[in-house]
Amino acid sequence: MLVQDHLISIRSLTRDDILFLLKTAEELRTNPQPELLKGKLLASCFYEPSTRTRLSFEAAMLRLGGQVITVAEPKTEALSDGLRVIGSYADILVIRHPLEGSAQLASEVCSIPVINAGDGANQHPTQTLTDLFAMQQCFGQLEGLEVAFVGDLRYGRTVHSLARACALFDQRLYLISPPRLEMPEPLLNELRRSGLRSSGHESVEEIIEKVDLLYCTRLQRERMGSDPIDGYQINPDVLTSAKPSMRIFHPMPRADELPMSVDTSPHAYYFEQAAGGVFVRQALLAHLLGAL
Ligand code: NCD
């Protein structure tokens, strides 16, 4: 059983909580429950662009028999005022907002469960559950995998949440980022204290033979100043020295770092990864609403 009211940060989930949610997601994938959340209403509050996260939450709710209301064009008002009112209309609320701490704020002013769908560069815990679900599908287990993060590790919230989960499952991390886009030092220190094994590298070539998973991210230009920073690009030639079982994940959307020529590679798994997001969000909605 999940003993929490909200999901604001991946830090609040134990290893067992995560395995439990992934197990439920798999059960809902193989055995759909179209009536499970009948009569329940999700408030879908996205104050930043979103395709996969928003639509997979909404699809998850609708496929479980629930309904959805959304914020279309937010008024100019204190965020807490708007959220407090929306919280009185629905049974559960999902929020994405550019401000770090916005989901925490929502959980303080709403009396219903709140799920963080991305707060600035801080956290994106349901993307992490989606990533872990995809890892289980690819590798059959999570323990001890060798994982490389490539790209913007400073402003990318998906890697900030995922790194914490990597520590919980004793995965080893290889960190590859352009200068000035390294993972924030305080977060890295926190992860190392919790036992994470990690090292920094200059190029994908250095580590490609060793890794089970290449997790690519785009440069989060909307969170950077105007300084141009060049990112990495996954060159299909580099992949020839990867293990046959190596898989490439990307939370999407992609930019130049992952050319479409990689899509036909047997290593590419990012579209399947995104598809699983509906099941993990179904599991989370069902548990937070006490339906399972
Ligand atoms: C990510 C996000 O919004 O943080 N996308 C997503 O939720 N799948 C990654 C990104 O925008 O680069």
Side-chain angles (χ1 to χ4, degrees):
M1 202 181 127
L2 205 59
V3 287
Q4 59 182 62
D5 299 330
H6 310 284
L7 180 57
I8 308 302
S9 164
I10 199 76
R11 287 184 188 86
S12 68
L13 294 178
T14 64
R15 195 177 165 283
D16 286 351
D17 290 336
I18 290 174
L19 290 173
F20 177 65
L21 283 166
L22 298 182
K23 186 162 167 283
T24 307
E26 180 56 19
E27 285 163 5
L28 289 167
R29 188 178 74 80
T30 51
N31 185 18
Q33 302 282 336
E35 307 259 301
L36 191 65
L37 296 184
K38 203 164 171 201
K40 298 290 184 192
L41 192 55
L42 166 72
S44 173
C45 304
F46 283 73
Y47 301 89
E48 259 189 355
S50 175
T51 305
R52 277 147 290 271
T53 306
R54 179 184 192 134
L55 292 179
S56 62
F57 262 114
E58 297 183 2
M61 192 64 183
L62 294 169
R63 286 197 183 278
L64 291 176
Q67 291 181 293
V68 180
I69 53 173
T70 65
V71 174
E73 286 178 24
K75 289 257 192 208
T76 309
E77 65 176 336
L79 181 63
S80 57
D81 284 352
L83 291 171
R84 188 166 169 178
V85 174
I86 298 166
S88 70
Y89 298 159
D91 300 297
I92 190 161
L93 183 146
V94 52
I95 177 170
R96 167 173 291 186
H97 193 282
L99 189 73
E100 294 193 14
S102 49
Q104 176 63 34
L105 172 72
S107 72
E108 286 163 13
V109 298
C110 293
S111 50
I112 57 173
V114 170
I115 302 171
N116 185 2
D119 63 325
N122 187 30
Q123 282 274 310
H124 194 348
T126 65
Q127 179 64 44
T128 296
L129 293 172
T130 302
D131 299 337
L132 297 172
F133 188 67
M135 285 185 210
Q136 275 191 337
Q137 288 180 322
C138 292
F139 308 109
Q141 44 107 33
L142 300 174
E143 220 63 47
L145 296 175
E146 306 259 318
V147 178
F149 286 176
V150 186
D152 181 350
L153 309 186
R154 175 162 176 203
Y155 296 109
R157 56 192 168 204
T158 63
V159 285
H160 296 167
S161 289
L162 182 57
R164 158 87 184 152
C166 293
L168 286 180
F169 292 98
D170 194 30
Q171 299 180 350
R172 194 219 185 280
L173 271 190
Y174 301 89
L175 304 171
I176 303 152
S177 57
R180 292 182 285 143
L181 296 183
E182 292 92 359
M183 187 157 286
E185 206 53 43
L187 175 62
L188 206 51
N189 288 337
E190 175 196 325
L191 293 166
R192 288 195 180 120
R193 278 196 303 274
S194 72
L196 182 77
R197 295 172 292 134
S198 71
S199 51
H201 300 268
E202 305 257 301
S203 73
V204 176
E205 282 86 343
E206 274 179 52
I207 52 87
I208 189 71
E209 290 172 21
K210 294 186 226 169
V211 299
D212 299 302
L213 180 66
L214 207 54
Y215 190 98
C216 307
T217 65
R218 71 179 172 94
L219 301 191
Q220 309 281 312
R221 295 199 187 274
E222 69 277 28
R223 299 193 193 114
M224 294 174 188
S226 49
D227 297 8
I229 299 185
D230 285 334
Y232 287 91
Q233 190 178 54
I234 300 303
N235 170 358
D237 294 343
V238 172
L239 300 176
T240 53
S241 43
K243 298 194 247 187
S245 59
M246 194 281 286
R247 290 290 173 268
I248 303 170
F249 285 13
H250 194 304
M252 311 276 270
R254 62 173 143 189
D256 304 332
E257 69 285 348
L258 188 57
M260 286 189 185
S261 54
V262 177
D263 295 0
T264 49
S265 154
H267 301 293
Y269 199 77
Y270 25 95
F271 288 106
E272 292 88 343
Q273 175 194 1
V278 175
F279 307 112
V280 299
R281 291 180 173 110
Q282 283 184 3
L284 187 63
L285 290 168
H287 282 301
L288 289 179
L289 284 167
L292 280 176

